[in-house]
Amino acid sequence: MSFIDTALVDVRKPLLQARFPFGRSERLREAMTWCASDYYAKAAIGEQFEARGIVVIGESRQGKSTEIETLLRAFNDGSTLMPDGRPAKIVSCLLSGKVTWKDLGFVILEVLGYPLRTRHSQTEIWSKVRKYAELQGVIGIHFDECQHVFTSADSATNQKMLDSFKSLLKDHNWPLMLIFSGIPSLAAHIKTEEQLDRLLRTVSFDGIDLSEEADRDEILHLVFSYAEKAGLDVDDIVTEDFLERLDFAACHRWGLVIEMIIEAFSFAATTPDKVCKIAHFSTAFSRISGMAEGYSPFTMPNYRDNFDQGKVLEMIEKSRQKKTSKRKSTSKT
């Protein structure tokens, strides 16, 4: 017996694939255009040069990774050519924990398709990174969750990491554009190295502020655009109170707003009447947070007094980790 609900797949697939333009995505694209154009102009001259980079900061679940992934897919589609005639590429790696500069070299080599199996010195590893990046036309690296490489206690270790990043931008043979993404503390670490900081442009992914008309319009646009994708009627639930509850339930995080919309609409779209109700969002919140069914900011009268957003975020992260662990254990068996 198949465990695939084809009706649910048919509903969820277009919702998961949907991408709607945000103002921040345009700012990110402008920053990338600035970096890539600068790189092209300097590479065309044929002399040694310094590459530029981008720092993308925002609290967790603000959609940074999704926006960057979308941007890099567009960048890597073969249409951006460098002066040597080859399509430019940017590779990406996720830094899930504390790593040394040597460890980071191993990670990048694996991303480039050249995993090392034997012992090598740090110098040899990064020499290979530069060599294989040049061979493949890779002109940049994206370091996701980059705050993990820094520590709050050891400033000497942090300085070595910053100097090493700077050396990639300034490499005489094959300079690399760098994209750093992470929580706001990342920008504070980078600003301690003035020479590195001046080569970077910062793009901030701010949280939702419903007192701002632009943010209110953005959430409305998301709700109605996803509803159209799902073929749903949402007219009865989209009120000022609903928008405030959705914003609160998502802890003012754009990424969580989208996740809850997709989850709620996935439930609603499998019903005969194709009408989305508050109960669908309440169920979506419970599934995402791991809290008891029916106990949500969408249904509680005094929700602001009954929910601590810091604890809600903790519950959401714990729920996500449990799901990830289950998927890993299932794949091993």
Side-chain angles (χ1 to χ4, degrees):
M1 183 180 76
S2 174
F3 286 87
I4 305 300
D5 184 338
T6 55
L8 184 59
V9 169
D10 290 342
V11 168
R12 286 184 70 86
K13 188 177 177 182
L15 293 176
L16 292 169
Q17 289 177 324
R19 293 290 182 270
F20 302 102
F22 282 84
R24 64 193 190 188
S25 62
E26 190 57 39
R27 294 196 302 273
L28 185 57
R29 187 178 182 86
E30 287 173 359
M32 177 65 85
T33 299
W34 171 73
C35 285
S37 300
D38 178 80
Y39 193 103
Y40 185 100
K42 291 172 178 175
I45 294 172
E47 299 176 358
Q48 294 178 4
F49 67 91
E50 298 175 343
R52 301 276 185 169
I54 307 170
V55 183
V56 184
I57 57 169
E59 297 292 352
S60 62
R61 314 303 286 277
Q62 288 290 9
K64 301 185 298 296
S65 296
T66 299
E67 292 286 3
I68 294 172
E69 286 168 10
T70 301
L71 181 73
L72 294 187
R73 277 198 299 273
F75 188 91
N76 292 334
D77 68 2
S79 61
T80 302
L81 303 180
M82 285 293 109
D84 62 7
R86 294 185 297 169
K89 300 175 188 174
I90 295 176
V91 297
S92 183
C93 68
L94 174 64
L95 307 182
S96 57
K98 183 65 179 173
V99 294
T100 65
W101 186 245
K102 185 175 182 178
D103 295 332
L104 197 51
F106 278 117
V107 173
I108 298 300
L109 279 176
E110 190 157 347
V111 171
L112 291 171
Y114 296 92
L116 290 182
R117 304 300 180 196
T118 57
R119 292 184 179 180
H120 290 77
S121 69
Q122 178 174 288
T123 301
E124 289 173 325
I125 292 167
W126 279 99
S127 177
K128 290 180 183 296
V129 169
R130 291 173 174 87
K131 173 186 174 181
Y132 294 130
E134 183 175 3
L135 285 173
Q136 295 182 31
V138 172
I139 67 165
I141 301 174
H142 166 222
F143 298 101
D144 195 12
E145 301 294 344
C146 193
Q147 71 274 2
H148 289 304
V149 305
F150 299 107
T151 174
S152 59
D154 194 341
S155 59
T157 300
N158 289 349
Q159 187 59 50
K160 287 179 181 178
M161 191 65 72
L162 292 167
D163 288 340
S164 298
F165 283 134
K166 185 171 62 177
S167 71
L168 294 181
L169 291 165
K170 295 171 171 282
D171 186 80
H172 291 168
N173 298 316
W174 192 255
L176 290 164
M177 286 169 41
L178 301 180
I179 302 173
F180 305 102
S181 60
I183 61 176
S185 62
L186 171 63
H189 286 300
I190 289 175
K191 285 188 178 299
T192 62
E193 174 45 63
E194 185 178 349
Q195 289 188 43
L196 175 62
D197 185 52
R198 71 174 178 80
L199 293 172
L200 306 174
R201 177 175 289 187
T202 300
V203 178
S204 297
F205 279 38
D206 299 323
I208 301 168
D209 181 358
L210 287 184
S211 67
E212 295 288 334
E213 185 178 355
D215 284 8
R216 188 172 291 270
D217 289 346
E218 200 79 74
I219 287 189
L220 278 171
H221 173 71
L222 286 172
V223 171
F224 283 109
S225 296
Y226 274 105
E228 185 178 356
K229 281 279 183 184
L232 289 172
D233 179 356
V234 295
D235 289 346
D236 288 345
I237 67 167
V238 182
T239 63
E240 290 291 319
D241 180 63
F242 166 75
L243 293 179
E244 290 176 3
R245 287 173 182 267
L246 175 58
D247 170 45
F248 183 89
C251 303
H252 316 300
R253 313 291 168 104
W254 289 105
L256 274 175
V257 162
I258 292 172
E259 191 173 342
M260 286 187 190
I261 288 173
I262 291 175
E263 198 72 19
F265 286 1
S266 294
F267 298 138
T270 57
T271 60
D273 59 5
K274 303 291 183 183
V275 175
C276 186
K277 301 178 174 65
I278 291 297
H280 294 127
F281 274 92
S282 180
T283 299
F285 176 83
S286 297
R287 296 287 178 87
I288 291 171
S289 68
M291 293 186 183
E293 187 83 23
Y295 182 66
S296 82
F298 293 100
T299 53
M300 294 289 290
N302 300 317
Y303 65 96
R304 294 185 187 276
D305 297 327
N306 285 286
F307 290 90
D308 181 313
Q309 288 182 313
K311 291 181 179 178
V312 169
L313 281 171
E314 286 180 19
M315 291 289 290
I316 289 171
E317 189 56 37
K318 286 180 181 177
S319 178
R320 178 179 292 270
Q321 288 173 357
K322 285 181 182 177
K323 291 174 185 176
T324 301
S325 297
K326 284 183 179 179
R327 284 197 295 268
K328 287 182 178 178
S329 61
T330 302
S331 65
K332 286 179 181 178
T333 56

